[in-house]
Amino acid sequence: MWSGKYTAVDPSLLLNNIQDNLPHYANYRQQDAQEFMNHFLNLIHDEFSMKTTLITELFYGQLQSTVKCLGCRQTEITKEPFSFLPLSISNYNQKSVLYVKVDGEQRLVSIKVNSSIMFVNDLIDCFLKQHEPKLTRDRIRAVQLVNNVVKDLYDGWQSLRSIREEELAIVEYPEKSVHQKHIWCNFIDHSTNKVFRPPTLLICPNQNCTYLHLSDQIDQLLGHLCSTTNAPASAFHLYWIYRNEMRRTLKVEANTDEDLPSISSIQIAMATEWVDIYKKYYNTNHSTDKSMLASLLTDYFREDYLDGDYHCLKCSKSTVAQHKSYLCLPLPHVFIIQLKRFMYDVNSNEKIDTYISFPLYGLDLNEYTVTDNDNKPENSSSTKYDLIAVSNHTGSLLSGHYTTYAKNTKDENWYLFDDRYVRKLDSDKDIVTKNAYILVYVQKTG
Ligand SMILES: [Zn+2]
């Protein structure tokens, strides 16, 4: 099918076969995608009647667990096979939000929050304390940012539950007096007129605004664009917008005291070749920002203590022990991660909708892998992985729907699989969502 020789495959026979062998799936009840995948892989493995099969070679790795008794310092090492890594997200309490500053700087910030925060103002308070302790709450606004356009200003008492985290951004407001107002400065590609980055805010007088009132602020923004791209002054054109619709060239050299009546915003247009460099700079910068998935992996492999839970044979009693897990070499060719969104306990059953960012390319497992001297990775690429598929779950614990994003490695395109509908995606920018449940990574070769 991937070769392009066939357009579609009818999976009815496969389904019948699965239902014959795993009667559990014979009805049309809600099932868990991760459980099914596990059963399905085991079913194929069992049919080979061999110890090592294609399934174990592709999907299985080994986890090493080291437990050191703090009483007698005895270390116990155990190894067990695994075919997927279940990552807990219930204690995950960081939000990753884009922060846009007055001087043009933009960066993703991680905001540590506790589970009790409910409103936009709570989040802003956490942000100020952790990232901008010198600013006050009136200097910061949470906005809905979609494709670099501010669609909405969030109210401080708006519930965070009603906000899509991937659309949330924080914008710095410049300090102003009662005689001044804020206006947006938008950044557009000169040939397409499309915005290429989030806007910033400027201040200008309520009345009789001239270029002189804006020049220092605009120079600062041009300085930011130049320093990231090395673009020359000729790459820029300035416009001012009045009554929210009419656009005029902003005259910089001559008549700088010319009045700009009813000014509503400013546009900085940059030539396309420099826009491309700017976007590349920020994309690479953002993607090297540690993903939330990497933080979850760090949590999973973090050293912890088994306090009284460990029975040491040498001490012949319950003791405190140090515990740490590692991945063993060779790593599996296919690395499957389950984001544990479904919580079942005595008090409540719930689905966790937290947005977890994860990389499409270059997930590196090196720091979680055992590296003693006789067992080093042959080269660094053997610990690096690219995403090849995501299983998404929408809906609740009781009633939900699965879809899959999968990449065709022949044509390099991503496809959406939604029951009997299959659609090619225009780009890979919508792959990472809060619905992601199972992530399938494939080891990079060469
Ligand atoms: Zn001991």
Side-chain angles (χ1 to χ4, degrees):
M1 187 168 70
W2 268 176
S3 68
K5 214 165 136 193
Y6 308 100
T7 52
V9 170
D10 175 6
S12 309
L13 272 176
L14 179 67
L15 182 65
N16 291 342
N17 187 298
I18 289 167
Q19 289 174 337
D20 288 346
N21 287 285
L22 301 167
H24 181 58
Y25 294 99
N27 54 45
Y28 287 89
R29 280 211 307 264
Q30 299 277 332
Q31 304 286 355
D32 180 85
Q34 192 281 320
E35 275 174 21
F36 171 73
M37 190 152 180
N38 221 17
H39 285 145
F40 184 48
L41 293 181
N42 284 338
L43 184 65
I44 300 173
H45 172 76
D46 289 345
E47 286 198 358
F48 282 111
S49 312
M50 290 185 291
K51 194 161 177 284
T52 311
T53 66
L54 193 66
I55 300 298
T56 56
E57 277 174 14
L58 287 176
F59 296 94
Y60 276 74
Q62 285 220 311
L63 273 173
Q64 175 178 312
S65 166
T66 309
V67 180
K68 184 178 180 183
C69 170
L70 294 186
C72 64
R73 319 300 289 179
Q74 175 111 325
T75 301
E76 187 189 343
I77 295 176
T78 50
K79 288 188 178 182
E80 55 176 345
F82 76 97
S83 60
F84 72 96
L85 209 63
L87 296 183
S88 171
I89 57 176
S90 60
N91 299 322
Y92 198 68
N93 50 6
Q94 278 191 12
K95 288 186 181 289
S96 189
V97 179
L98 183 68
Y99 174 38
V100 184
K101 296 185 63 160
V102 165
D103 63 9
E105 187 55 46
Q106 48 167 328
R107 63 172 193 266
L108 274 179
V109 293
S110 290
I111 307 173
K112 290 190 190 71
V113 296
N114 61 40
S115 55
S116 67
I117 78 156
M118 292 176 71
F119 303 109
V120 168
N121 271 346
D122 300 335
L123 182 72
I124 288 177
D125 287 344
C126 292
F127 166 79
L128 289 171
K129 218 176 275 174
Q130 294 161 31
H131 295 281
E132 290 285 14
K134 285 179 185 155
L135 292 185
T136 47
R137 202 196 262 169
D138 59 317
R139 296 284 308 281
I140 290 293
R141 195 78 193 251
V143 304
Q144 182 189 26
L145 188 74
V146 181
N147 296 328
N148 291 318
V149 175
V150 173
K151 296 275 186 193
D152 196 9
L153 301 176
Y154 291 127
D155 185 61
W157 297 107
Q158 192 156 343
S159 164
L160 287 169
R161 276 177 173 266
S162 66
I163 293 173
R164 288 165 63 106
E165 193 170 323
E166 56 269 42
E167 294 179 348
L168 179 65
I170 287 177
V171 176
E172 182 190 3
Y173 273 55
E175 198 165 17
K176 71 170 186 70
S177 72
V178 287
H179 307 294
Q180 292 172 316
K181 63 176 181 179
H182 288 126
I183 58 171
W184 288 106
C185 176
N186 291 297
F187 300 84
I188 60 168
D189 182 319
H190 200 216
S191 44
T192 62
N193 278 344
K194 280 195 177 136
V195 290
F196 64 86
R197 56 149 287 158
T200 60
L201 279 160
L202 309 175
I203 44 169
C204 70
N206 285 331
Q207 266 138 24
N208 306 110
C209 177
T210 70
Y211 176 69
L212 278 180
H213 292 111
L214 300 165
S215 60
D216 285 352
Q217 302 171 73
I218 290 176
D219 282 350
Q220 179 171 249
L221 294 169
L222 292 176
H224 163 75
L225 296 172
C226 288
S227 67
T228 37
T229 60
N230 288 323
S234 60
F236 299 101
H237 292 266
L238 303 179
Y239 300 98
W240 63 287
I241 313 291
Y242 63 104
R243 299 209 174 91
N244 290 318
E245 48 185 327
M246 309 295 279
R247 184 168 96 157
R248 285 196 178 164
T249 298
L250 191 62
K251 293 186 190 121
V252 180
E253 287 94 16
N255 302 324
T256 43
D257 57 350
E258 181 195 14
D259 197 18
L260 308 173
S262 306
I263 182 170
S264 53
S265 65
I266 289 285
Q267 276 185 355
I268 295 180
M270 184 154 76
T272 307
E273 57 176 308
W274 306 105
V275 168
D276 291 342
I277 293 172
Y278 186 85
K279 288 204 292 203
K280 212 177 218 171
Y281 177 84
Y282 273 98
N283 281 341
T284 46
N285 267 16
H286 287 169
S287 63
T288 54
D289 220 56
K290 198 171 181 186
S291 67
M292 293 152 107
L293 178 68
S295 303
L296 294 183
L297 284 165
T298 303
D299 278 352
Y300 184 91
F301 290 104
R302 179 171 289 142
E303 192 172 80
D304 58 3
Y305 292 91
L306 308 171
D307 193 353
D309 292 343
Y310 179 67
H311 185 85
C312 176
L313 289 174
K314 202 174 167 193
C315 300
S316 61
K317 63 172 183 183
S318 290
T319 62
V320 179
Q322 205 174 43
H323 167 258
K324 187 164 166 59
S325 298
Y326 302 90
L327 294 166
C328 300
L329 292 170
L331 295 171
H333 290 294
V334 182
F335 188 72
I336 302 174
I337 292 169
Q338 176 197 22
L339 301 173
K340 290 174 73 185
R341 296 196 175 277
F342 303 105
M343 296 300 293
Y344 305 93
D345 65 36
V346 280
N347 301 320
S348 68
N349 297 335
E350 61 166 336
K351 185 185 170 195
I352 304 165
D353 271 327
T354 306
Y355 172 80
I356 304 288
S357 63
F358 50 89
L360 268 54
Y361 300 98
L363 174 70
D364 195 350
L365 301 178
N366 190 40
E367 68 174 283
Y368 323 112
T369 305
V370 164
T371 47
D372 51 47
N373 282 334
D374 350 300
N375 205 4
K376 278 224 171 83
E378 309 87 72
N379 55 57
S380 60
S381 74
S382 66
T383 63
K384 286 197 175 143
Y385 287 76
D386 291 339
L387 188 74
I388 191 136
V390 184
S391 170
N392 305 294
H393 182 273
T394 50
S396 69
L397 202 69
L398 296 173
S399 129
H401 179 61
Y402 281 109
T403 60
T404 294
Y405 292 127
K407 188 179 187 177
N408 179 339
T409 51
K410 283 256 170 13
D411 69 8
E412 293 281 312
N413 285 312
W414 282 88
Y415 291 83
L416 165 69
F417 296 82
D418 184 355
D419 286 344
R420 60 204 164 95
Y421 300 103
V422 179
R423 182 168 65 81
K424 190 174 114 180
L425 301 181
D426 295 334
S427 78
D428 58 15
K429 70 177 171 48
D430 295 326
I431 304 291
V432 183
T433 70
K434 67 176 171 56
N435 301 323
Y437 176 46
I438 297 169
L439 313 177
V440 183
Y441 282 93
V442 171
Q443 197 167 31
K444 280 171 105 104
T445 48

